[in-house]
Amino acid sequence: MDAAVKVAADVHVGTPPGPLSDWVMRKVHFHGFAGLPTARGVSVKSPEFSCFGHQWLVVLYPGGGRLEGSKEGHVSVYLHNQSPESIQACYKIILKHPTDQAQRIYLADQLKTFGAERSGKESWGNSNFANRETLLTYLNNGTLTLEIHLRTNKQVDPASFVPSNPCSGNLLKGFNDEEMSDVAFEVGGEVESAANRRKRGKTITTRFHAFHAILRLNAPSLADMCRPGDEAAVPI
């Protein structure tokens, strides 16, 4: 029979991914979409916006991109990370019909790594997001509105290794040790009678020993009643 194994805390290299956050949505409006350049490979960029501590922007190719596989007459759209640090995130790009919200063009992807700005790996999207003629039917007063949805891993600090501290245990072991202590107190002895204060009674005396320095830090009122090395016990 195998001996029981005591399992210690795990050791982490780097920061482990936490649970996914809630979705955060930003709307990006491309006004006057029909009048945007339709030459292939010509892009229109949105202003930057902030989410999860990173800067982002949406890049639209109204006439289609130049990447291999980009179809003629299709609009390309990409989400860019504009920050100097990479980030892992899930994203969705949604275009809803202005009169029928259930009718939509939808792009979604699982957890992706958006590389740092200018790394060549800072963007994700689709070179064939939708046919341009179809998008023209989704305009609201000439505006193309894209919903950008993002979620990422919550940051969770790994359990750090904290060595055990024997201080408290050692203090308890030393408490009331006559050889190690430098002060003593006596509790009990002669007390006044509760029924008649003129009479006094005898009680059992209890002596305990302590360290003056520890009393100074934790029970200063007791420390004020004695001095280190006093031979006589202090009555309480």
Side-chain angles (χ1 to χ4, degrees):
M1 183 176 180
D2 294 337
V5 177
K6 184 177 180 181
V7 180
D10 295 344
V11 177
H12 296 269
V13 179
T15 303
L20 286 172
S21 67
D22 295 331
W23 286 101
V24 177
M25 188 269 286
R26 297 290 294 267
K27 290 184 178 181
V28 179
H29 305 281
F30 290 89
H31 300 290
F33 174 79
L36 296 179
T38 56
R40 198 173 181 86
V42 177
S43 66
V44 178
K45 298 180 180 180
S46 75
E48 292 186 9
F49 57 92
S50 178
C51 189
F52 295 119
H54 283 245
Q55 294 298 114
W56 306 83
L57 61 77
V58 176
V59 180
L60 192 72
Y61 292 84
R66 293 184 178 275
L67 293 179
E68 184 179 352
S70 180
K71 298 178 182 178
E72 186 71 30
H74 281 67
V75 175
S76 303
V77 61
Y78 298 94
L79 177 63
H80 282 246
N81 171 34
Q82 293 295 107
S83 296
E85 299 85 17
S86 63
I87 182 175
Q88 285 191 318
C90 301
Y91 75 97
K92 295 186 289 188
I93 301 176
I94 302 174
L95 172 62
K96 296 178 180 178
H97 196 279
T99 60
D100 183 2
Q101 295 291 292
Q103 187 178 344
R104 60 187 61 185
I105 299 172
Y106 193 95
L107 170 63
D109 218 330
Q110 300 299 316
L111 197 65
K112 295 291 186 182
T113 298
F114 288 80
E117 180 186 14
R118 302 182 188 279
S119 67
K121 300 178 181 180
E122 68 273 16
S123 65
W124 287 94
N126 195 312
S127 58
N128 299 300
F129 178 66
N131 183 279
R132 175 178 169 80
E133 296 302 318
T134 301
L135 288 189
L136 290 173
T137 67
Y138 277 71
L139 303 183
N140 186 8
N141 294 325
T143 297
L144 181 74
T145 299
L146 298 176
E147 290 186 1
I148 308 300
H149 298 248
L150 282 165
R151 70 191 304 192
T152 187
N153 289 312
K154 296 179 180 178
Q155 296 299 313
V156 176
D157 293 330
S160 58
F161 171 68
V162 179
S164 59
N165 187 347
C167 181
S168 296
N170 291 337
L171 290 176
L172 289 174
K173 292 178 182 178
F175 176 72
N176 216 20
D177 188 313
E178 184 175 357
E179 293 184 359
M180 298 176 61
S181 63
D182 54 6
V183 293
F185 295 88
E186 282 187 352
V187 180
E190 190 177 62
V191 297
E192 290 184 346
S193 171
N196 187 345
R197 293 185 178 275
R198 294 182 179 180
K199 297 181 179 180
R200 294 180 179 270
K202 293 287 185 177
T203 62
I204 299 175
T205 301
T206 302
R207 175 176 290 203
F208 67 89
H209 303 269
F211 300 91
H212 190 271
I214 296 175
L215 290 178
R216 175 60 62 194
L217 295 173
N218 297 279
S221 59
L222 290 178
D224 290 339
M225 298 171 64
C226 56
R227 293 182 179 181
D230 282 349
E231 296 183 1
V234 178
I236 298 179

